[in-house]
Amino acid sequence: MQPTMSNVSYESTSKPVVKCRCGIPAALKTSMTEANTGRRFLTCKFYNPKTGMRGCNYFKWVDELLNETGLLKFEIEVQKRSLERLENKYDELSLAVALLKENEKKFSGFLKVIFLLFIFLIYKFLM
């Protein structure tokens, strides 16, 4: 069964859900073979490597599915927008830090003046 947008749906979490031929969400697994170590794939939930039972025999590499359905391009766009928002937030926070440092310098100078005035008043009071 070739994956198409018809067997890729979205749940309330807005994450794509791929269903196998049994009509249930496919299980996400990670390959441990020498040729594909760490590569993620979707398979029927009834697949059992110990018994060799493969359920409906549904199998698809995740990277291939993402390319075929256009979800990879969509995810890239989502990540770009997220990066833009983070960069904007970083710029805002950098400006806020700069303003706080400037205010700290002004306040520090103000405190020095108040301290010197306080010392002067004590000196005048004691004299």
Side-chain angles (χ1 to χ4, degrees), residues 30-41 59 61 63:
T30 303
S31 173
M32 295 301 178
T33 64
E34 188 174 321
N36 293 295
T37 303
R39 193 172 177 194
R40 308 292 304 267
F41 65 93
F59 176 91
W61 293 113
D63 55 342

Side-chain angles (χ1 to χ4, degrees), residues 6-21:
S6 62
N7 69 336
V8 177
S9 61
Y10 288 83
E11 290 185 343
S12 60
T13 60
S14 74
K15 291 184 179 181
V17 176
V18 177
K19 294 182 179 179
C20 69
R21 290 184 202 103

Side-chain angles (χ1 to χ4, degrees), residues 63-75:
D63 55 342
E64 291 175 3
L65 176 67
L66 291 174
N67 284 327
E68 291 171 5
T69 60
L71 291 175
L72 185 58
K73 288 179 185 176
F74 175 75
E75 184 62 26

